[in-house]
Amino acid sequence: IITSFVFLLMVATFPISGWFALKIVPAYERMIIFRLGRIRAPQGPGIVLLLPFIDHWQRVDLRTRAFNVPPCKLTSKDGAIISMGADVQFRVWDPVLSVMMVKDLITTTRMTAQNAMTKTLLKKSLREIQAEKLRIGEQLLLEINDMTKSWGLEVDRVELTMEAVLQLPQENLAGPLAPLPPVPGLEGLDSTIQQLAAHLFGNTLALTGSANSAPEAADSVETVNEVESPTAAVPTASSRRKPSVDELLSAVELFLSESLVGQVGACYQVNIILPSGVRSTYFIDLSSGSGQVGRGLPEGSPDVVLEMAEKDLQDLFLGELRPLSAYMSGRLQVKGDLHVALKLEELFKAMKQRR
């Protein structure tokens, strides 16, 4: 009834109403019309009739368009920091889906392309990125299309653009860590934790431990089997066991201080997913005093809740993974203020700077 009444009203006021009701749609566009809230089939090209007051319409451009992904800083698998962007070409193949499924098509597609590019490049070394840009672009093309096909959009081309290499790869020239003598203050901890703490403290702490254990070192020289190679006692990377979560937190207590609390000033709840699928909860309270670390929930409400796998937590403490890289790759889930969550990196810096 309403549609018939508006149509008769438009006929009665013609040709004045024709000025507002008749629209010309070019061949490269389609017009999506919502009549009383219900979507109609795409209209055009040619002349399209719109009923005043009850029709709402939107034009959709079917031509190939392009946008750029702004350059962002990424850390490659080998530790290099690069500034990488991308140029993306796309077109709309289903105008109805492009209007119904996404509000801002270009912005949403740009964010999707940036996330896919970040997750892919984090798994590549700098040499692989430079040598396989075309192949990586084709891989990104398939991944982005898998996500955007339900929006009525198809990506035709992805071209990576490297702006600059901000930091060269960090090659591990030192080799595996040799067994260290007991470190003063850490005698009660597991030997793995002693190696971790000595590695983070640096050569100063290692030399101190060696000086304090000089008599034992002299005795050990007399009992060395000269037939065997001295390097046989050095454990390989595959044989060394990574410290557990409880061992890591025991080591963290040694680095807590009032100055660190002043820099961070937040309480973190850390949910760790073990390989068995069991979830364990810990807390790192850097909001007052000298800080606290322990198992279970914190006394008050945490400022940020972090969730990650046990292996990712081990990589964070061992310096093999940065919090920002873990978050961008999806290995670290953050509930709360991201800026506050990334302040936890001050703890890792403090562990490395105390030499």
Side-chain angles (χ1 to χ4, degrees), residues 8 16 70 75 78 136 146 151 164 186 193 234 254 289 291 297 327:
L8 293 176
I16 298 177
T75 303
D78 54 359
I136 296 175
D146 287 340
W151 306 342
L186 303 180
I193 295 298
V234 180
L254 302 173
L297 297 174
Y327 172 76

Side-chain angles (χ1 to χ4, degrees), residues 48-63:
V48 177
L49 176 64
L50 299 175
L51 297 183
F53 309 113
I54 64 173
D55 282 354
H56 298 275
W57 53 275
Q58 181 176 341
R59 293 179 182 267
V60 178
D61 197 329
L62 302 182
R63 293 174 293 183

Side-chain angles (χ1 to χ4, degrees), residues 1-16:
I1 296 175
I2 295 176
T3 302
S4 301
F5 176 77
V6 173
F7 184 79
L8 293 176
L9 180 63
M10 185 188 64
V11 173
T13 57
F14 192 82
I16 298 177

